[in-house]
């Protein structure tokens, strides 16, 4: 069995060296008539590599608890209602949740952020009408995404920074390289998931106005670095992966999301409770998440898992 796993890992490295188009047939930014984005980079061999990281069998949920007090954007509401049905032999309670899919810990789908202007476009050139048609499921719904089971690595910016980061503070490539060297972790590669811990989660519920006012995060320098390494997913403990406010352009523009997702199909996971990785003192793990296959949805709620 050990020989098989070693051989498989070697094959994974060979496969990762190929361009994505060589791994999947077809046409499109990632070698497909692509509705699945960078989730196609997570192959069976990525799953084997991730499984080989698991040594202690410990599972850490990284999703924040959904509750009325959590930060919500302008115009967003959260409501959980209950209906009780009583019979002669049993009682059933049904719950109905009314909340945006971008509340709590959520995965940004390929139809969430696109370019502006007179001819707005989303990943793979999809138009807003194709992403969210009035009479159909849409071309970039999360139901097209592949399940996530891949190597995850933590970039602990609190340690590198000497304390929690502030809104508008940008993570650099030098910061990432310092964190990787500090914790002895290899840099991310084809199909990996990268989780940034900035300490911004300290404001979650404790100070929602501050939490939503801005965020530390990456800029275009790191975005290009991640694109070159063909990662599949980027996660953060803030409400956005990209630093806010941005240093150039409109205050709440999203150049990092456009670079990662709109151009390259890289998935983004926001509001992740990365503090639990710090508490567990781990920097490398299997990152697992199955998007809820809501047909036509541009995002997915749910709790990613870190297993080590």
């Amino acid at each position: 069995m050990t020989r098989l796993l070693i051989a498989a890992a070697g094959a994974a490295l060979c496969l990762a060296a190929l361009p994505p188009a060589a791994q999947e047939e077809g046409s499109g930014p990632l070698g497909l008539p692509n509705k699945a984005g960078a989730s196609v980079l997570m192959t069976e061999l990525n799953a084997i590599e991730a499984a080989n990281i698991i040594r202690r069998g410990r599972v850490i949920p990284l999703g924040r608890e959904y509750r009325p007090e959590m930060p919500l954007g302008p115009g967003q509401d959260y409501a959980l209602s209950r209906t009780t049905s009583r019979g002669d032999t049993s009682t059933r309670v049904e719950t109905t949740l009314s909340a945006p899919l971008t509340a709590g810990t959520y995965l940004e789908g390929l139809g969430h952020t696109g370019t502006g202007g007179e001819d707005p476009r989303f990943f793979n050139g999809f138009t807003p009408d194709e992403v969210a048609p009035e009479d159909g499921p849409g071309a970039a719904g999360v139901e097209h995404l592949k399940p996530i089971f891949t190597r995850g690595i933590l970039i602990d910016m609190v340690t590198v920074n000497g304390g929690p980061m502030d809104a508008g503070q940008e993570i650099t490539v030098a910061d990432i390289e310092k964190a990787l060297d500090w914790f002895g972790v290899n840099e991310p590669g084809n199909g990996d998931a990268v989780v940034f811990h900035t300490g911004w989660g300290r404001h979650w519920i404790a100070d929602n106005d501050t939490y939503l006012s801005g965020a530390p995060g990456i800029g275009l320098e790191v975005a290009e670095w991640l694109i070159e390494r063909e990662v599949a997913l980027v996660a953060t403990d803030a409400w956005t992966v990209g630093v806010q406010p941005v240093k150039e352009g409109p205050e709440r523009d999203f150049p990092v999301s456009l670079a990662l997702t709109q151009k390259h199909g890289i998935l983004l996971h926001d509001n992740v409770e990365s503090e639990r990785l710090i508490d567990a003192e781990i920097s490398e793990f299997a990152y697992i998440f199955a998007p809820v296959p809501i047909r036509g949805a541009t995002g997915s709620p749910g709790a990613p898992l870190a297993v080590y």
Side-chain angles (χ1 to χ4, degrees):
M1 177 62 72
T2 301
R3 291 181 179 178
L4 287 175
L5 292 177
I6 292 173
L13 293 174
C14 293
L15 185 62
L18 298 175
Q23 300 177 35
E24 298 279 358
E25 294 181 358
S27 60
L30 290 165
L32 288 175
N34 197 349
K35 297 181 180 181
S39 68
V40 302
L41 298 178
M42 291 177 285
T43 66
E44 293 87 348
L45 295 177
N46 285 89
I48 291 173
E49 181 183 7
N52 284 338
I53 294 172
I54 301 171
R55 293 288 184 270
R56 303 173 71 180
R58 296 188 177 177
V59 181
I60 302 175
L62 301 178
R64 297 192 181 276
E65 187 178 83
Y66 278 63
R67 50 195 288 192
E69 301 88 354
M70 67 184 180
L72 294 169
Q76 294 183 336
D77 294 304
Y78 175 97
L80 186 69
S81 59
R82 300 172 181 84
T83 303
T84 303
S85 301
R86 293 181 175 87
D88 293 335
T89 59
S90 65
T91 299
R92 294 175 62 85
V93 177
E94 298 287 351
T95 54
T96 301
L97 175 64
S98 176
L101 293 177
T102 53
T105 300
Y106 71 97
L107 184 78
E108 294 189 26
L110 302 176
H112 184 59
T113 303
T115 61
E118 296 182 358
D119 185 27
R121 298 284 172 164
F122 291 81
F123 173 72
N124 210 25
F126 294 130
T127 66
D129 287 341
E130 290 172 322
V131 168
E134 295 181 359
D135 58 352
V142 293
E143 75 273 16
H144 300 297
L145 301 180
K146 294 179 64 176
I148 297 164
F149 192 124
T150 194
R151 172 184 179 245
I153 63 171
L154 175 69
I155 305 298
D156 178 7
M157 284 302 305
V158 173
T159 296
V160 170
N161 189 58
M165 299 182 71
D166 299 321
Q169 191 171 353
E170 184 174 328
I171 299 167
T172 67
V173 170
D175 292 332
I176 295 175
E177 291 174 342
K178 182 178 180 180
L180 294 174
D181 182 65
W182 194 312
F183 295 100
V185 178
N186 293 330
E187 71 176 33
N190 182 275
D192 284 349
V194 179
V195 181
F196 288 99
H197 175 65
T198 69
W200 197 244
R202 69 191 185 278
H203 299 303
W204 182 269
I205 293 180
D207 186 349
N208 288 342
D209 288 341
T210 296
Y211 187 84
L212 294 172
S213 68
I218 68 173
L220 291 177
E221 177 204 24
V222 171
E224 291 301 325
W225 188 87
L226 294 168
I227 290 165
E228 289 174 1
R229 281 147 185 81
E230 297 182 349
V231 304
L233 181 145
V234 183
T236 180
D237 58 347
W239 58 271
T240 173
V241 167
V243 62
Q244 286 287 335
V246 296
K247 294 181 179 179
E248 298 178 0
E251 181 177 349
R252 292 178 69 85
D253 197 8
F254 297 94
V256 168
S257 295
L258 294 176
L260 293 176
T261 304
Q262 192 267 342
K263 291 183 180 180
H264 295 277
I266 295 172
L267 304 176
L268 306 180
H269 227 151
D270 300 328
N271 299 326
V272 168
E273 194 165 356
S274 56
E275 302 96 305
R276 294 182 175 179
L277 297 172
I278 302 299
D279 292 341
E281 299 181 341
I282 58 170
S283 298
E284 190 176 33
F285 42 89
Y287 194 91
I288 304 171
F289 182 76
V292 181
I294 305 171
R295 192 177 187 194
T298 61
S300 172
L305 302 175
V307 187
Y308 67 102

